[in-house]
Amino acid sequence: MSPKITTELLKQLRQVMKNPKYVQEPVQAYIVPSGDAHQSEYIAPCDCRRAFISGFDGSAGTAIVTEQHAAMWTDGRYFLQAAHQMDNNWTLMKMGLKDTPTQEDWLVSVLPEGSKVGVDPFIIPADQWKRMSKVLRSAGHDLVPVKENLIDTIWTDCPQRPCKPLIMLDLSYTGVSWRDKIVALRSKMAERKVMWFVVTALDEVAWLFNLRGSDVEYNPVFFAYAVIGMNTIRLFIDGDRMSDPAVREHLQLDSTLEPEFKIQVMPYGSILSELQAVGAGLSPKEKVWLSDKASYALTEAIPKAYRYLTPYTPICIAKAVKNASETEGMRRAHIKDAVALCELFNWLEKEVPKGTVTEIIAADKAEEFRSQQKDFVELSFATISSTGPNGAIIHYKPVPETNRTLSVNEIYLLDSGAQYKDGTTDVTRTMHFGTPSAYEKECFTYVLKGHIAVSAAIFPNGTKGHLLDSFARSALWDCGLDYLHGTGHGVGSFLNVHEGPCGISYKTFADEPLEAGMIVSDEPGYYEDGSFGIRIENVVLVIPAETKYNFKNRGSLTFEPLTLVPIQTKMIDVNLLTQKECNWVNDYHQKCREVVGAELERQGRHEALQWLIRETEPLVRVQ
Amino acid sequence: MSPKITTELLKQLRQVMKNPKYVQEPVQAYIVPSGDAHQSEYIAPCDCRRAFISGFDGSAGTAIVTEQHAAMWTDGRYFLQAAHQMDNNWTLMKMGLKDTPTQEDWLVSVLPEGSKVGVDPFIIPADQWKRMSKVLRSAGHDLVPVKENLIDTIWTDCPQRPCKPLIMLDLSYTGVSWRDKIVALRSKMAERKVMWFVVTALDEVAWLFNLRGSDVEYNPVFFAYAVIGMNTIRLFIDGDRMSDPAVREHLQLDSTLEPEFKIQVMPYGSILSELQAVGAGLSPKEKVWLSDKASYALTEAIPKAYRYLTPYTPICIAKAVKNASETEGMRRAHIKDAVALCELFNWLEKEVPKGTVTEIIAADKAEEFRSQQKDFVELSFATISSTGPNGAIIHYKPVPETNRTLSVNEIYLLDSGAQYKDGTTDVTRTMHFGTPSAYEKECFTYVLKGHIAVSAAIFPNGTKGHLLDSFARSALWDCGLDYLHGTGHGVGSFLNVHEGPCGISYKTFADEPLEAGMIVSDEPGYYEDGSFGIRIENVVLVIPAETKYNFKNRGSLTFEPLTLVPIQTKMIDVNLLTQKECNWVNDYHQKCREVVGAELERQGRHEALQWLIRETEPLVRVQ
């Protein structure tokens, strides 16, 4: 992977930063955030402005360009990748390390007095605007909105904004109709005494209307906003997607409906002016509910006194708690996904020793097996297929320049998943196709102990996920090891593979408490730079737990693994496991064998079934 | 314990809330916070305004009185106590429970439109003012400062503010002279480019000048403020304390000193006007550093643009990391404290079966044994001496009305500690003087497992204490049990028994990372309302840990128990312990026997030594 040469681009950007055609006054710094106008983590090619200007294309990062400097903030998952992808014009700011300045503090330290810092008001979340603008102002600088996106002005071959057909999900997938979701939302609005709710996140629009799209790779969403009033529904969406009769039927656009369920369809680009009109027409006490992560532009459309901002919207919270139809769909999706991976690992076991399988071939093969499964739509993220030292690049994606051949001498890490119409998967397995060293097994076993500690944890109702994060690290910490990422994220139901408001990470505190029906990943790891990476990831469902004493009737929770793919026993140093951990592995493998075995049988995949049976032989612990 | 009858007091308070003599405009609600003008947790009798108006005298709680309502917010430690101490005029607001409204939300829900909410600006911390005032304003109300404290106007027999003699600590106790502390503080100020630092917390003033006092029971502090400039030192303190020649000598008040170390002594009451003068005289870029918990009144004295507010002051952070002299002092204090407790428990073992020992007698006896030790000053908090159901009242203090006799049929919980000139102690032991039931032993053993999980935890440098909280709960959670308080708090060195900025609690997120030299408590518990309470508490020192692999040279930490008092083995169900836990107990008891045994021997306390030897017999685990 050679870095992108950005000298010329940065020169152009620095010119437009002073060009009165685009800026009222010159800006001495320009911020290029990661997201799009919906604060999406995964974005369409037309929104990949930070990657365009810097070369760094990981899923998280913020670039800031001043007259003299260009700096990139990203987190532990991407330290290596960013260092590889960016040229010497860029300084990497490693977030989470003690000595790394915040973006604001850095700006204050490098800017000349009385500077203007520009940013696209549609891209920057309101909460971030507020934080930055406060620090900058107190140091004598100004954060200013720059209407025209300055990257777009120099991005001559910027791709078009996608506008692909929609997928409708019926009740068998969603469990609840969009009408009932609107009713529930309005009741939450009434509780908080707000009159309007602005849906800005793409997955929230998709979830609310039981629609899916493919405007953004891996995330089955489409570009749209919605504004829900107590008696009106406005959907802001472009293209001829609303002329599809099936969509019209699904949204009952042509039916005689009670007026409060009549959807007004409006152009995507009219959201700001419509919202400004809403803002201008508010009577006292009429509040408008927005996510505090909605863009600064949309937030400003509502006068401050009328805003009701929360970190998590009622849709975000409702969406996180899966109903019975969604949970059943997720179970089905994970069984199909396991079938594909059994096929893949069986195939790899035969092919790797021949020395012909590269990371890209393996990733493609995984996609091929997945695509054979019913209701497969697409992958849920770019497959991380990494062998040997590439495994230590936490969010690695193989490209021809880095593509390494799998061998019997290196650890192979595969983190992959798919979108099926009934659910979203995300699974990581770490395998050795030869004989792992004692040290590799030792590290793998610590990671496994951490995985089990979370998966088998029992905790009271109301516990926040971040309180479980240390369980995943304890075995590693005991030996002085650790990993620089969180332990788990929320997973959507045929939606984004990363979703809020729950998760398992030392980095968050404002996560919502875990409750039965939420789905998160459990994925501790260990990474040795230049050598190997280990990660063991299951998607797990929060379920009620029976306990011996039910403290003050509070109720307890635990996790049920939805992912049912064997964990390679060859990598386990059984003597480092407790009997309880050993039983957990054996019970888990027994379930894989029964549930996935039956499906392999049904699909007539006999060789993969044999592989599954071999890989799920019980561990025996020598006392 | 019968509740305080507050009907008449509340009537009087509601009258002064409308009395133009005290308020410019009537206030519809009046807030009575817990603290004093220094935001102390433990306060002098003249500052116990919340206890005066409500009857509830726990260490944490906020009262709000409106024309119709009187409500009290407190946390899990005090739910039972508050319910017992308050009459029917009061509504208890249980903080930490899901359905309990915040003070602001509750005010919004009960106040008539356009209300004024009054509070003493010297008592309310600036950060809390800001938060409350924002919410109230957005709901159309106003938070207003009421200069005269309204409780004081109806508190006819309010005691005088204490003004007791000072204690000087020499270098053998403090390790660092006050001059060197000022130098270090000024270098922190220079780093942040601030010109002034305002010391508002009593323990910070005491620590900075290596002085102690006894103005507040249990906390060896004295009423004072300090304002440190780059070239000036102002100490605001009352009484003739500064005429004591020893104090003058200690502070070098009469020496020829470099001007930047010359201390100007000013009256305690002049802080506001002096600070206002400082605020008025600032040139641009001259910042003033204050804790964001400093009072609203003092914070307002500095114009907003000149304020530099942080949650933890540089003194708070420096004070938390004990130097070698302080650590050695703490070790000595804990050995002496253990001697006293061995004497006490030996005495209890003989006396309890006679049926003559009450909770108060036991507490007094504990104090008597402690007072026999060298450099004993006073207790470090009100002894929690509780038997049977009283043990479930987490911060119980025995009074004649609740005083229960210890017996061989009930669990006895003793949480106590002392101030010695060389250190502060805080230890909880839970004992049974007869035969504990299997259930009591089971619960005790889960608490012990949690205690060990924290005490033996190994974690990377830079880990925040709140990430260890779940380790203490895991064994309880597995059986559906829990406790409603944090696991640990910072402990001062001959200073406050509760101090920031570190701790071990699920409730905080903004705690500073643990580092070697910090001292915290490790005190999980389990409480069965109406039956018993269990808590096992040691004070532990953060020390570097050796690990097998030293992940990226980050270094690891663990804890060393400073408390060396046997944990009653009779209460342990050995079969619920792992071998590792069993070894921990045996190693700990071995150390108690060696270290405390030698001191008992030296002090000629032979009977207590025999008790110690009996109580530290190794546990044997049946495999």
Side-chain angles (χ1 to χ4, degrees), chain B residues 175-188:
Chain B
V176 182
S177 68
W178 65 259
R179 276 184 62 140
D180 287 345
K181 288 181 179 179
I182 295 270
V183 170
L185 172 61
R186 285 184 177 144
S187 108
K188 289 276 167 206

Side-chain angles (χ1 to χ4, degrees), chain B residues 159-188:
Chain B
Q160 279 255 302
R161 183 163 303 280
C163 190
K164 307 232 182 94
L166 301 180
I167 303 170
M168 285 124 287
L169 291 184
D170 64 34
L171 270 182
S172 68
Y173 292 106
T174 66
V176 182
S177 68
W178 65 259
R179 276 184 62 140
D180 287 345
K181 288 181 179 179
I182 295 270
V183 170
L185 172 61
R186 285 184 177 144
S187 108
K188 289 276 167 206

Side-chain angles (χ1 to χ4, degrees), chain B residues 194-488:
Chain B
V194 300
M195 300 297 290
W196 300 90
F197 177 74
V198 186
V199 197
T200 53
L202 298 184
D203 62 336
E204 297 191 10
V205 179
W207 179 87
L208 182 60
F209 292 104
N210 291 337
L211 289 170
R212 298 294 186 267
S214 53
D215 287 356
V216 178
E217 199 181 7
Y218 309 126
N219 290 173
V221 296
F222 51 93
F223 285 102
Y225 292 101
V227 176
I228 312 299
M230 293 310 275
N231 301 299
T232 56
I233 304 173
R234 292 180 204 169
L235 178 60
F236 298 82
I237 186 166
D238 267 354
D240 51 4
R241 301 196 268 203
M242 290 296 130
S243 24
D244 178 346
V247 173
R248 299 193 70 81
E249 165 77 28
H250 176 86
L251 295 178
Q252 299 179 261
L253 292 183
D254 307 309
S255 320
T256 331
L257 270 179
E258 307 93 304
E260 68 267 32
F261 294 110
K262 193 85 197 158
I263 299 175
Q264 299 166 257
V265 178
M266 298 181 158
Y268 177 72
S270 67
I271 176 73
L272 183 60
S273 55
E274 285 296 325
L275 207 53
Q276 281 164 339
V278 165
L282 294 167
S283 355
K285 294 218 162 186
E286 284 196 354
K287 296 258 178 190
V288 179
W289 196 341
L290 287 137
S291 162
D292 66 2
K293 274 153 220 73
S295 71
Y296 175 73
L298 293 193
T299 308
E300 282 295 297
I302 305 299
K304 203 171 169 187
Y306 297 94
R307 284 177 216 156
Y308 181 74
L309 305 182
T310 57
Y312 300 114
T313 70
I315 295 187
C316 173
I317 292 169
K319 176 166 63 64
V321 183
K322 274 68 177 173
N323 60 40
S325 308
E326 291 169 323
T327 307
E328 275 320 298
M330 286 294 266
R331 276 187 224 282
R332 282 197 307 273
H334 280 83
I335 294 167
K336 292 182 286 186
D337 210 56
V339 165
L341 286 187
C342 288
E343 285 280 14
L344 175 75
F345 291 134
N346 174 54
W347 181 84
L348 284 177
E349 233 172 62
K350 290 182 301 179
E351 300 298 320
V352 168
K354 301 180 189 161
T356 52
V357 183
T358 65
E359 294 167 339
I360 292 178
I361 290 174
D364 290 346
K365 199 75 190 173
E367 181 164 5
E368 180 190 324
F369 283 121
R370 281 191 164 106
S371 68
Q372 294 164 2
Q373 294 298 313
K374 193 184 162 211
D375 275 347
F376 171 85
V377 179
E378 60 172 334
L379 298 185
S380 56
F381 55 97
T383 298
I384 300 172
S385 170
S386 55
T387 184
N390 288 342
I393 303 171
I394 298 179
H395 271 204
Y396 173 78
K397 178 189 164 184
V399 288
E401 304 84 67
T402 63
N403 194 19
R404 207 174 162 88
T405 302
L406 277 63
S407 86
V408 294
N409 303 315
E410 285 183 347
I411 289 181
Y412 175 64
L413 184 159
L414 178 76
D415 185 351
S416 62
Q419 300 287 0
Y420 301 89
K421 260 186 92 173
D422 40 12
T424 303
T425 66
D426 180 1
V427 45
T428 310
R429 288 296 179 266
T430 305
M431 323 275 286
H432 204 294
F433 298 103
T435 307
S437 74
Y439 178 61
E440 289 167 339
K441 287 172 68 174
E442 185 186 356
C443 295
F444 183 92
T445 308
Y446 297 147
V447 173
L448 176 61
K449 286 167 86 80
H451 179 92
I452 297 171
V454 169
S455 196
I458 292 173
F459 48 91
N461 253 323
T463 302
K464 291 180 168 195
H466 73 263
L467 292 170
L468 307 180
D469 183 78
S470 303
F471 289 158
R473 298 175 199 274
S474 182
L476 287 162
W477 281 357
D478 277 347
C479 293
L481 302 179
D482 198 6
Y483 55 95
L484 299 179
H485 59 75
T487 301

